[in-house]
Amino acid sequence: MITTGNNMCYSTEKPLGYGFRYNLSVTHIDDLDNLHYTTYGVQMLDEEGNLVAEYLDISTNKSFVERFIELCQKAQVALVHLGDVLEDYLD
């Protein structure tokens, strides 16, 4: 069973650049061996708050994903580059 919730928004009061916001997504997973763990991902939202991209299960390390979100927010990474930026961050 997989459940998601407790999204934490990392956004500025006034959107920068294109106005993208990045949320920390939280996924709770129960596997077949009845082990429970939590993974973290990123959601990208436009100025109106519409979900435009989502990458789940990036890491079980919350601070690692929070740092990625902070960097994306500061740089206002465009949608077309988000996947590549994430790939580089994971390397």
Side-chain angles (χ1 to χ4, degrees):
M1 175 169 77
I2 299 174
T3 58
T4 61
N6 300 329
N7 293 333
M8 299 173 61
C9 183
Y10 289 83
S11 63
T12 57
E13 190 81 19
K14 295 181 181 176
L16 302 171
Y18 295 105
F20 294 123
R21 293 192 321 264
Y22 302 87
N23 287 345
L24 178 71
S25 65
V26 180
T27 305
H28 302 285
I29 300 173
D30 298 328
D31 70 10
L32 296 175
D33 295 324
N34 206 27
L35 297 174
H36 312 286
Y37 58 99
T38 302
T39 63
Y40 302 93
V42 61
Q43 298 175 329
M44 181 182 194
L45 295 93
D46 65 15
E47 292 176 347
E48 291 82 35
N50 300 308
L51 183 66
V52 294
E54 183 171 39
Y55 293 89
L56 301 174
D57 303 331
I58 293 172
S59 177
T60 57
N61 182 332
K62 183 179 181 180
S63 62
F64 178 77
V65 179
E66 287 176 328
R67 179 68 181 136
F68 175 72
I69 290 170
E70 290 170 7
L71 293 170
C72 287
Q73 186 65 46
K74 183 176 181 179
Q76 280 295 286
V77 175
L79 174 60
V80 68
H81 300 296
L82 185 60
D84 291 331
V85 171
L86 176 58
E87 186 177 329
D88 290 345
Y89 185 74
L90 292 172
D91 284 342

Coordinates of all heavy atoms in Angstrom, one line a residue:
M1 N 0.8 -1.2 0.0 CA 0.0 0.0 0.0 C 0.9 1.2 0.0 O 1.9 1.3 0.7 CB -0.9 0.0 1.2 CG -1.7 1.3 1.4 SD -3.0 1.2 2.6 CE -2.1 1.4 4.1
I2 N 0.5 2.2 -0.8 CA 1.3 3.5 -0.9 C 0.3 4.6 -0.6 O -0.8 4.7 -1.1 CB 1.9 3.7 -2.3 CG1 2.9 2.5 -2.6 CG2 2.6 5.0 -2.4 CD1 3.4 2.6 -4.0
T3 N 0.7 5.5 0.3 CA 0.0 6.7 0.6 C 0.9 7.9 0.5 O 2.1 7.8 0.8 CB -0.7 6.6 2.0 OG1 0.4 6.5 3.0 CG2 -1.6 5.5 2.2
T4 N 0.3 9.0 0.1 CA 1.1 10.2 0.0 C 0.4 11.2 0.8 O -0.8 11.2 1.1 CB 1.2 10.7 -1.4 OG1 -0.1 11.0 -2.0 CG2 1.9 9.7 -2.3
G5 N 1.2 12.2 1.3 CA 0.6 13.3 2.0 C 1.6 14.2 2.7 O 2.8 14.0 2.4
N6 N 1.2 15.1 3.5 CA 2.1 16.0 4.2 C 3.0 16.7 3.3 O 4.2 16.8 3.6 CB 2.9 15.2 5.3 CG 2.0 14.5 6.3 OD1 0.9 15.0 6.6 ND2 2.5 13.4 6.8
N7 N 2.5 17.2 2.2 CA 3.3 18.0 1.3 C 3.7 19.3 2.0 O 2.9 20.0 2.5 CB 2.6 18.3 0.0 CG 2.4 17.0 -0.8 OD1 3.2 16.1 -0.7 ND2 1.4 17.0 -1.6
M8 N 5.0 19.7 1.9 CA 5.5 20.9 2.5 C 5.9 21.8 1.3 O 6.6 21.4 0.5 CB 6.7 20.6 3.4 CG 6.4 19.7 4.5 SD 7.8 19.2 5.4 CE 8.4 20.7 6.0
C9 N 5.4 23.0 1.3 CA 5.6 23.9 0.3 C 6.9 24.8 0.5 O 7.0 25.4 1.6 CB 4.4 24.8 0.0 SG 4.6 26.0 -1.3
Y10 N 7.8 24.8 -0.4 CA 8.9 25.7 -0.4 C 8.7 26.7 -1.4 O 9.0 26.5 -2.6 CB 10.2 24.9 -0.6 CG 10.6 24.0 0.5 CD1 10.0 22.7 0.6 CD2 11.5 24.4 1.5 CE1 10.3 21.9 1.6 CE2 11.8 23.5 2.5 CZ 11.2 22.3 2.6 OH 11.5 21.5 3.6
S11 N 8.2 27.8 -1.1 CA 7.9 28.9 -2.1 C 8.2 30.2 -1.5 O 8.3 30.4 -0.3 CB 6.5 28.8 -2.6 OG 5.6 29.1 -1.5
T12 N 8.4 31.2 -2.4 CA 8.7 32.5 -1.9 C 7.3 33.2 -1.8 O 6.4 32.9 -2.5 CB 9.6 33.3 -2.9 OG1 9.0 33.2 -4.2 CG2 11.0 32.7 -2.9
E13 N 7.3 34.3 -1.0 CA 6.1 35.1 -0.9 C 5.6 35.6 -2.3 O 4.5 35.5 -2.7 CB 6.3 36.2 0.0 CG 5.1 37.0 0.4 CD 4.3 36.3 1.5 OE1 4.9 35.5 2.2 OE2 3.1 36.7 1.7
K14 N 6.6 36.1 -3.0 CA 6.3 36.6 -4.4 C 7.1 35.7 -5.3 O 8.3 35.7 -5.2 CB 6.7 38.1 -4.5 CG 5.9 39.0 -3.7 CD 6.4 40.4 -3.9 CE 5.5 41.4 -3.0 NZ 6.0 42.7 -3.1
P15 N 6.4 35.0 -6.3 CA 7.1 34.1 -7.2 C 8.2 34.9 -7.9 O 8.1 36.0 -8.4 CB 6.0 33.6 -8.1 CG 4.8 33.8 -7.4 CD 5.0 35.1 -6.5
L16 N 9.3 34.2 -8.1 CA 10.5 34.7 -8.9 C 10.4 34.2 -10.3 O 9.8 33.1 -10.6 CB 11.8 34.2 -8.3 CG 12.0 34.6 -6.8 CD1 13.3 33.8 -6.3 CD2 12.2 36.0 -6.7
G17 N 10.9 34.9 -11.3 CA 11.0 34.4 -12.7 C 9.6 34.0 -13.2 O 8.7 34.7 -13.3
Y18 N 9.5 32.7 -13.5 CA 8.3 32.1 -14.1 C 7.3 31.8 -13.0 O 6.2 31.5 -13.3 CB 8.6 30.9 -14.9 CG 9.4 31.1 -16.1 CD1 10.8 30.8 -16.1 CD2 8.9 31.7 -17.2 CE1 11.6 31.0 -17.2 CE2 9.7 31.9 -18.3 CZ 11.0 31.6 -18.3 OH 11.8 31.8 -19.4
G19 N 7.7 32.0 -11.7 CA 6.7 31.8 -10.7 C 6.5 30.3 -10.3 O 5.5 30.0 -9.7
F20 N 7.5 29.4 -10.6 CA 7.3 28.0 -10.2 C 7.5 27.9 -8.7 O 8.4 28.6 -8.1 CB 8.4 27.2 -11.0 CG 8.1 27.1 -12.5 CD1 9.1 27.5 -13.3 CD2 6.9 26.6 -13.0 CE1 8.9 27.4 -14.7 CE2 6.7 26.6 -14.3 CZ 7.7 26.9 -15.2
R21 N 6.8 27.0 -8.1 CA 7.0 26.6 -6.7 C 7.3 25.1 -6.7 O 6.9 24.4 -7.6 CB 5.7 26.9 -5.9 CG 5.3 28.3 -5.8 CD 4.2 28.5 -4.8 NE 3.2 27.5 -4.7 CZ 2.0 27.6 -5.3 NH1 1.7 28.7 -6.1 NH2 1.1 26.6 -5.2
Y22 N 8.0 24.7 -5.7 CA 8.4 23.4 -5.5 C 7.9 22.9 -4.2 O 8.2 23.5 -3.1 CB 9.9 23.2 -5.6 CG 10.4 23.8 -6.9 CD1 10.7 25.1 -7.1 CD2 10.5 23.0 -8.0 CE1 11.1 25.6 -8.3 CE2 10.9 23.5 -9.2 CZ 11.2 24.8 -9.4 OH 11.6 25.3 -10.6
N23 N 7.2 21.7 -4.1 CA 6.7 21.1 -2.9 C 7.5 19.8 -2.6 O 7.9 19.1 -3.6 CB 5.3 20.7 -3.0 CG 4.3 21.9 -3.0 OD1 4.7 23.0 -2.6 ND2 3.1 21.7 -3.4
L24 N 7.7 19.6 -1.4 CA 8.2 18.3 -0.9 C 7.1 17.3 -0.9 O 6.1 17.6 -0.1 CB 8.9 18.4 0.5 CG 9.4 17.1 1.1 CD1 10.7 16.7 0.3 CD2 9.7 17.4 2.5
S25 N 7.1 16.2 -1.6 CA 6.1 15.2 -1.5 C 6.6 14.1 -0.6 O 7.8 13.8 -0.6 CB 5.7 14.7 -2.9 OG 6.8 14.0 -3.5
V26 N 5.7 13.5 0.1 CA 6.0 12.5 1.1 C 5.1 11.3 0.7 O 3.9 11.4 0.5 CB 5.6 12.9 2.5 CG1 6.0 11.8 3.5 CG2 6.4 14.2 2.9
T27 N 5.8 10.1 0.6 CA 5.1 8.9 0.2 C 5.4 7.9 1.3 O 6.6 7.6 1.6 CB 5.6 8.3 -1.1 OG1 5.4 9.3 -2.1 CG2 4.8 7.1 -1.5
H28 N 4.4 7.3 1.9 CA 4.5 6.2 2.9 C 4.3 4.9 2.2 O 3.3 4.7 1.6 CB 3.6 6.4 4.0 CG 3.7 7.8 4.7 ND1 4.8 8.0 5.6 CD2 3.0 8.9 4.6 CE1 4.6 9.3 6.0 NE2 3.6 9.8 5.4
I29 N 5.2 4.0 2.3 CA 5.1 2.7 1.6 C 5.2 1.5 2.6 O 6.0 1.5 3.5 CB 6.3 2.6 0.6 CG1 6.2 3.7 -0.4 CG2 6.3 1.2 -0.1 CD1 7.4 3.8 -1.4
D30 N 4.3 0.6 2.4 CA 4.3 -0.7 3.1 C 4.7 -1.7 2.1 O 3.9 -1.9 1.1 CB 3.0 -1.0 3.8 CG 2.6 0.0 4.8 OD1 3.4 0.6 5.5 OD2 1.4 0.2 4.9
D31 N 5.8 -2.4 2.2 CA 6.1 -3.4 1.2 C 5.6 -4.8 1.5 O 4.9 -5.0 2.5 CB 7.6 -3.4 0.9 CG 8.4 -4.0 2.0 OD1 7.9 -4.6 3.0 OD2 9.7 -3.9 2.0
L32 N 5.8 -5.8 0.7 CA 5.3 -7.1 0.8 C 5.8 -7.8 2.1 O 5.2 -8.8 2.6 CB 5.6 -8.0 -0.4 CG 4.9 -7.5 -1.7 CD1 5.4 -8.3 -2.9 CD2 3.4 -7.5 -1.6
D33 N 7.0 -7.4 2.6 CA 7.5 -8.0 3.8 C 7.0 -7.2 5.0 O 7.6 -7.4 6.1 CB 9.1 -7.9 3.8 CG 9.6 -8.8 2.7 OD1 9.0 -9.9 2.4 OD2 10.6 -8.4 2.0
N34 N 6.0 -6.4 4.9 CA 5.4 -5.6 5.9 C 6.4 -4.6 6.6 O 6.4 -4.3 7.7 CB 4.8 -6.5 7.0 CG 3.7 -5.8 7.8 OD1 3.1 -4.9 7.2 ND2 3.5 -6.2 9.0
L35 N 7.4 -4.2 5.7 CA 8.3 -3.1 6.2 C 7.7 -1.8 5.8 O 7.1 -1.6 4.7 CB 9.7 -3.3 5.5 CG 10.4 -4.6 5.9 CD1 11.7 -4.7 5.1 CD2 10.7 -4.6 7.4
H36 N 7.9 -0.8 6.6 CA 7.3 0.5 6.4 C 8.5 1.5 6.2 O 9.4 1.5 6.9 CB 6.5 1.0 7.6 CG 5.5 0.0 8.0 ND1 4.4 -0.3 7.4 CD2 5.5 -0.8 9.1 CE1 3.7 -1.3 8.0 NE2 4.4 -1.6 9.1
Y37 N 8.3 2.3 5.1 CA 9.3 3.4 5.0 C 8.7 4.6 4.3 O 7.6 4.5 3.7 CB 10.6 2.9 4.3 CG 10.4 2.3 2.9 CD1 10.6 3.0 1.8 CD2 10.0 1.0 2.8 CE1 10.5 2.5 0.5 CE2 9.9 0.4 1.5 CZ 10.1 1.1 0.4 OH 9.9 0.6 -0.9
T38 N 9.4 5.7 4.4 CA 8.9 7.0 3.8 C 9.9 7.4 2.8 O 11.2 7.4 3.0 CB 8.8 8.0 4.9 OG1 7.9 7.5 5.9 CG2 8.3 9.3 4.4
T39 N 9.4 7.9 1.6 CA 10.3 8.4 0.6 C 9.8 9.9 0.3 O 8.7 10.2 0.6 CB 10.3 7.6 -0.7 OG1 8.9 7.6 -1.2 CG2 10.7 6.2 -0.5
Y40 N 10.8 10.6 -0.2 CA 10.5 12.0 -0.5 C 10.7 12.3 -2.0 O 11.6 11.8 -2.6 CB 11.4 12.9 0.4 CG 11.2 12.6 1.9 CD1 12.0 11.7 2.5 CD2 10.1 13.2 2.5 CE1 11.7 11.4 3.9 CE2 9.9 12.9 3.9 CZ 10.7 12.0 4.5 OH 10.4 11.7 5.8
G41 N 9.9 13.2 -2.5 CA 10.1 13.6 -3.9 C 9.8 15.1 -4.0 O 9.7 15.8 -3.0
V42 N 9.6 15.5 -5.2 CA 9.4 17.0 -5.5 C 8.2 17.1 -6.5 O 8.1 16.3 -7.4 CB 10.7 17.6 -6.1 CG1 11.1 17.0 -7.4 CG2 10.5 19.1 -6.3
Q43 N 7.4 18.1 -6.2 CA 6.4 18.5 -7.1 C 6.7 19.9 -7.6 O 7.1 20.8 -6.8 CB 5.0 18.6 -6.4 CG 4.6 17.2 -5.9 CD 3.3 17.3 -5.1 OE1 3.0 18.4 -4.4 NE2 2.5 16.3 -5.1
M44 N 6.4 20.2 -8.9 CA 6.6 21.5 -9.4 C 5.3 22.1 -9.8 O 4.5 21.4 -10.4 CB 7.5 21.4 -10.7 CG 7.8 22.8 -11.3 SD 8.8 22.5 -12.8 CE 9.3 24.1 -13.1
L45 N 5.0 23.3 -9.3 CA 3.7 23.9 -9.5 C 3.9 25.2 -10.2 O 4.9 25.9 -10.0 CB 2.9 24.1 -8.2 CG 2.5 22.9 -7.5 CD1 3.6 22.5 -6.5 CD2 1.2 23.1 -6.8
D46 N 2.9 25.6 -11.1 CA 3.0 26.9 -11.8 C 2.4 28.0 -10.9 O 2.1 27.8 -9.7 CB 2.3 26.8 -13.1 CG 0.8 26.6 -13.0 OD1 0.2 26.7 -11.9 OD2 0.2 26.2 -14.1
E47 N 2.3 29.2 -11.5 CA 1.9 30.4 -10.7 C 0.5 30.2 -10.1 O 0.2 30.7 -9.0 CB 1.9 31.6 -11.6 CG 3.3 32.1 -12.0 CD 3.2 33.2 -13.0 OE1 2.1 33.5 -13.5 OE2 4.3 33.8 -13.2
E48 N -0.4 29.4 -10.7 CA -1.7 29.2 -10.3 C -1.8 28.1 -9.3 O -2.9 27.7 -8.8 CB -2.7 29.0 -11.4 CG -2.9 30.3 -12.3 CD -1.8 30.5 -13.3 OE1 -1.3 29.5 -13.8 OE2 -1.5 31.7 -13.6
G49 N -0.7 27.4 -9.1 CA -0.7 26.2 -8.2 C -1.1 24.9 -8.8 O -1.3 23.9 -8.2
N50 N -1.0 24.9 -10.2 CA -1.3 23.6 -10.9 C 0.0 22.8 -11.0 O 1.1 23.3 -11.2 CB -1.7 24.0 -12.3 CG -3.0 24.8 -12.4 OD1 -4.0 24.4 -11.8 ND2 -3.0 25.9 -13.1
L51 N -0.2 21.5 -10.7 CA 0.9 20.6 -10.8 C 1.4 20.4 -12.2 O 0.6 20.1 -13.1 CB 0.5 19.2 -10.2 CG 1.5 18.1 -10.2 CD1 2.6 18.5 -9.2 CD2 0.9 16.8 -9.7
V52 N 2.6 20.7 -12.5 CA 3.1 20.6 -13.9 C 4.2 19.5 -14.0 O 4.5 19.0 -15.1 CB 3.7 21.9 -14.4 CG1 2.6 23.0 -14.5 CG2 4.8 22.5 -13.5
A53 N 4.8 19.1 -12.9 CA 5.7 18.0 -12.9 C 5.8 17.4 -11.5 O 5.6 18.1 -10.5 CB 7.1 18.4 -13.4
E54 N 6.1 16.1 -11.5 CA 6.3 15.4 -10.2 C 7.3 14.3 -10.3 O 7.2 13.5 -11.2 CB 4.9 14.9 -9.7 CG 4.9 14.3 -8.4 CD 3.5 14.0 -7.9 OE1 2.7 13.5 -8.7 OE2 3.2 14.2 -6.7
Y55 N 8.2 14.2 -9.3 CA 9.1 13.1 -9.2 C 9.0 12.6 -7.8 O 9.4 13.2 -6.9 CB 10.6 13.6 -9.5 CG 10.8 14.1 -10.9 CD1 10.5 15.4 -11.3 CD2 11.2 13.2 -11.9 CE1 10.7 15.8 -12.6 CE2 11.4 13.6 -13.2 CZ 11.1 14.9 -13.6 OH 11.3 15.3 -14.9
L56 N 8.5 11.4 -7.7 CA 8.3 10.7 -6.4 C 9.5 9.8 -6.1 O 10.2 9.5 -7.0 CB 7.0 9.9 -6.4 CG 5.7 10.7 -6.7 CD1 4.5 9.7 -6.9 CD2 5.4 11.7 -5.6
D57 N 9.6 9.5 -4.9 CA 10.6 8.5 -4.4 C 12.0 8.8 -4.8 O 12.8 8.0 -5.2 CB 10.2 7.1 -4.9 CG 8.8 6.6 -4.5 OD1 8.4 7.1 -3.4 OD2 8.2 5.9 -5.2
I58 N 12.4 10.1 -4.7 CA 13.8 10.5 -5.0 C 14.7 9.9 -4.0 O 15.8 9.4 -4.3 CB 13.9 12.0 -5.1 CG1 13.1 12.6 -6.2 CG2 15.4 12.4 -5.1 CD1 13.0 14.1 -6.3
S59 N 14.4 10.0 -2.7 CA 15.2 9.5 -1.7 C 14.5 9.3 -0.4 O 13.4 9.8 -0.2 CB 16.3 10.5 -1.4 OG 17.2 10.2 -0.3
T60 N 15.0 8.5 0.5 CA 14.5 8.3 1.8 C 15.1 9.4 2.8 O 14.7 9.5 3.9 CB 14.7 6.9 2.4 OG1 16.1 6.7 2.4 CG2 14.0 5.8 1.6
N61 N 16.0 10.1 2.3 CA 16.7 11.2 3.0 C 16.0 12.5 2.8 O 16.1 13.1 1.8 CB 18.2 11.3 2.6 CG 19.0 12.3 3.4 OD1 18.4 13.3 3.9 ND2 20.2 12.0 3.5
K62 N 15.2 12.9 3.8 CA 14.4 14.1 3.6 C 15.2 15.4 3.4 O 14.9 16.2 2.5 CB 13.5 14.3 4.9 CG 12.6 15.5 4.8 CD 11.8 15.6 6.1 CE 10.8 16.7 6.1 NZ 10.0 16.8 7.3
S63 N 16.3 15.5 4.1 CA 17.1 16.8 4.0 C 17.8 16.8 2.6 O 18.0 17.9 2.1 CB 18.1 16.9 5.1 OG 19.0 15.8 5.1
F64 N 18.1 15.7 2.0 CA 18.7 15.6 0.7 C 17.7 16.2 -0.3 O 18.1 17.0 -1.2 CB 19.0 14.2 0.4 CG 19.6 13.9 -1.0 CD1 20.9 14.3 -1.3 CD2 18.9 13.4 -2.0 CE1 21.5 14.0 -2.5 CE2 19.4 13.2 -3.3 CZ 20.7 13.5 -3.5
V65 N 16.4 15.8 -0.2 CA 15.4 16.3 -1.2 C 15.1 17.7 -0.9 O 14.9 18.5 -1.8 CB 14.2 15.4 -1.1 CG1 13.1 15.9 -2.1 CG2 14.6 13.9 -1.5
E66 N 15.0 18.1 0.4 CA 14.8 19.5 0.8 C 15.8 20.4 0.2 O 15.5 21.5 -0.3 CB 14.7 19.7 2.3 CG 13.4 19.1 2.9 CD 13.4 19.2 4.4 OE1 14.5 19.1 5.0 OE2 12.3 19.3 5.0
R67 N 17.1 20.0 0.2 CA 18.1 20.8 -0.4 C 18.0 21.0 -1.9 O 18.2 22.1 -2.4 CB 19.5 20.2 0.0 CG 20.7 20.9 -0.6 CD 20.9 22.3 0.1 NE 22.0 23.0 -0.5 CZ 22.0 24.3 -0.9 NH1 21.0 25.0 -0.6 NH2 23.1 24.8 -1.4
F68 N 17.6 19.9 -2.5 CA 17.3 20.0 -4.0 C 16.2 21.0 -4.3 O 16.3 21.8 -5.2 CB 16.9 18.6 -4.5 CG 16.5 18.6 -6.0 CD1 17.4 18.8 -7.0 CD2 15.2 18.4 -6.3 CE1 17.1 18.8 -8.3 CE2 14.8 18.5 -7.7 CZ 15.7 18.6 -8.6
I69 N 15.1 20.9 -3.5 CA 14.0 21.9 -3.6 C 14.5 23.3 -3.4 O 14.1 24.2 -4.2 CB 12.9 21.5 -2.7 CG1 12.2 20.2 -3.2 CG2 11.8 22.6 -2.6 CD1 11.3 19.6 -2.2
E70 N 15.3 23.5 -2.4 CA 15.8 24.9 -2.2 C 16.6 25.4 -3.4 O 16.5 26.6 -3.8 CB 16.7 24.9 -0.9 CG 15.9 24.7 0.4 CD 16.8 24.5 1.6 OE1 18.0 24.6 1.5 OE2 16.2 24.2 2.6
L71 N 17.4 24.5 -3.9 CA 18.2 24.9 -5.1 C 17.4 25.2 -6.3 O 17.6 26.2 -7.0 CB 19.3 23.8 -5.4 CG 20.4 23.6 -4.4 CD1 21.1 22.3 -4.7 CD2 21.3 24.8 -4.3
C72 N 16.4 24.4 -6.5 CA 15.4 24.6 -7.6 C 14.7 25.9 -7.5 O 14.5 26.7 -8.4 CB 14.5 23.5 -7.8 SG 15.2 22.0 -8.4
Q73 N 14.2 26.2 -6.3 CA 13.5 27.4 -6.0 C 14.4 28.6 -6.2 O 13.9 29.6 -6.9 CB 12.9 27.4 -4.6 CG 12.0 28.6 -4.3 CD 10.8 28.6 -5.1 OE1 10.1 27.5 -5.2 NE2 10.4 29.7 -5.7
K74 N 15.6 28.6 -5.7 CA 16.5 29.7 -5.9 C 16.8 30.0 -7.4 O 16.8 31.1 -7.8 CB 17.8 29.5 -5.1 CG 18.7 30.6 -5.1 CD 19.9 30.3 -4.2 CE 20.9 31.5 -4.3 NZ 22.0 31.3 -3.4
A75 N 17.1 28.9 -8.1 CA 17.4 29.0 -9.5 C 16.2 29.1 -10.5 O 16.4 29.4 -11.6 CB 18.3 27.8 -9.9
Q76 N 15.0 28.9 -9.9 CA 13.8 28.9 -10.7 C 14.0 28.0 -12.0 O 13.9 28.4 -13.1 CB 13.4 30.3 -11.1 CG 12.6 31.0 -10.0 CD 11.3 30.3 -9.7 OE1 10.4 30.4 -10.4 NE2 11.3 29.6 -8.6
V77 N 14.4 26.7 -11.7 CA 14.6 25.8 -12.8 C 13.3 25.6 -13.6 O 12.2 25.4 -13.1 CB 15.0 24.4 -12.2 CG1 15.1 23.4 -13.3 CG2 16.3 24.5 -11.4
A78 N 13.5 25.7 -14.9 CA 12.4 25.6 -15.9 C 11.9 24.2 -16.0 O 12.7 23.2 -15.8 CB 12.8 26.2 -17.2
L79 N 10.7 24.0 -16.3 CA 10.1 22.6 -16.4 C 10.9 21.8 -17.4 O 11.2 20.6 -17.1 CB 8.7 22.8 -16.9 CG 7.9 21.5 -17.3 CD1 7.9 20.5 -16.1 CD2 6.6 21.8 -17.8
V80 N 11.3 22.3 -18.5 CA 12.1 21.5 -19.5 C 13.4 21.0 -19.0 O 13.9 20.0 -19.5 CB 12.3 22.3 -20.8 CG1 13.2 23.5 -20.6 CG2 12.7 21.5 -21.9
H81 N 13.9 21.6 -17.9 CA 15.3 21.3 -17.4 C 15.2 20.5 -16.1 O 16.2 19.9 -15.6 CB 16.1 22.5 -17.1 CG 16.4 23.3 -18.4 ND1 17.1 22.8 -19.4 CD2 16.0 24.5 -18.8 CE1 17.1 23.7 -20.4 NE2 16.5 24.7 -20.0
L82 N 14.0 20.4 -15.4 CA 13.9 19.8 -14.1 C 14.4 18.4 -14.0 O 15.2 18.0 -13.1 CB 12.5 19.9 -13.6 CG 12.3 19.4 -12.1 CD1 13.1 20.2 -11.2 CD2 10.8 19.5 -11.8
G83 N 14.0 17.6 -15.0 CA 14.5 16.2 -15.0 C 16.0 16.0 -15.1 O 16.6 15.2 -14.4
D84 N 16.6 16.8 -16.0 CA 18.1 16.8 -16.1 C 18.8 17.3 -14.9 O 19.8 16.8 -14.4 CB 18.5 17.7 -17.3 CG 18.1 17.0 -18.6 OD1 18.0 15.8 -18.7 OD2 17.9 17.8 -19.6
V85 N 18.2 18.4 -14.3 CA 18.8 18.9 -13.0 C 18.7 17.9 -11.9 O 19.7 17.7 -11.2 CB 18.1 20.3 -12.6 CG1 18.5 20.7 -11.3 CG2 18.4 21.3 -13.7
L86 N 17.6 17.2 -11.8 CA 17.5 16.1 -10.8 C 18.5 15.0 -11.1 O 19.1 14.6 -10.1 CB 16.1 15.6 -10.8 CG 15.8 14.4 -9.9 CD1 16.1 14.8 -8.4 CD2 14.4 14.0 -10.0
E87 N 18.6 14.6 -12.3 CA 19.6 13.6 -12.6 C 21.0 14.0 -12.2 O 21.7 13.2 -11.7 CB 19.5 13.3 -14.1 CG 20.4 12.1 -14.6 CD 20.2 11.8 -16.0 OE1 19.1 12.0 -16.6 OE2 21.2 11.3 -16.6
D88 N 21.4 15.2 -12.5 CA 22.7 15.7 -12.1 C 22.9 15.7 -10.6 O 23.9 15.4 -10.1 CB 23.0 17.1 -12.7 CG 23.1 17.1 -14.2 OD1 23.4 16.0 -14.8 OD2 23.1 18.2 -14.8
Y89 N 21.8 16.1 -9.9 CA 21.9 16.2 -8.5 C 22.0 14.8 -7.8 O 22.7 14.7 -6.8 CB 20.6 16.9 -8.0 CG 20.5 17.1 -6.5 CD1 21.3 18.2 -5.9 CD2 19.8 16.3 -5.6 CE1 21.3 18.4 -4.5 CE2 19.7 16.6 -4.3 CZ 20.5 17.6 -3.7 OH 20.4 17.9 -2.4
L90 N 21.4 13.8 -8.4 CA 21.5 12.5 -7.9 C 22.9 11.8 -8.2 O 23.3 10.9 -7.5 CB 20.4 11.6 -8.5 CG 19.0 11.9 -8.0 CD1 18.0 11.1 -8.8 CD2 18.9 11.7 -6.5
D91 N 23.6 12.4 -9.2 CA 24.9 11.8 -9.5 C 26.0 12.1 -8.6 O 26.3 12.8 -7.9 CB 25.4 12.2 -10.9 CG 24.6 11.4 -12.0 OD1 24.1 10.4 -11.7 OD2 24.6 11.9 -13.1

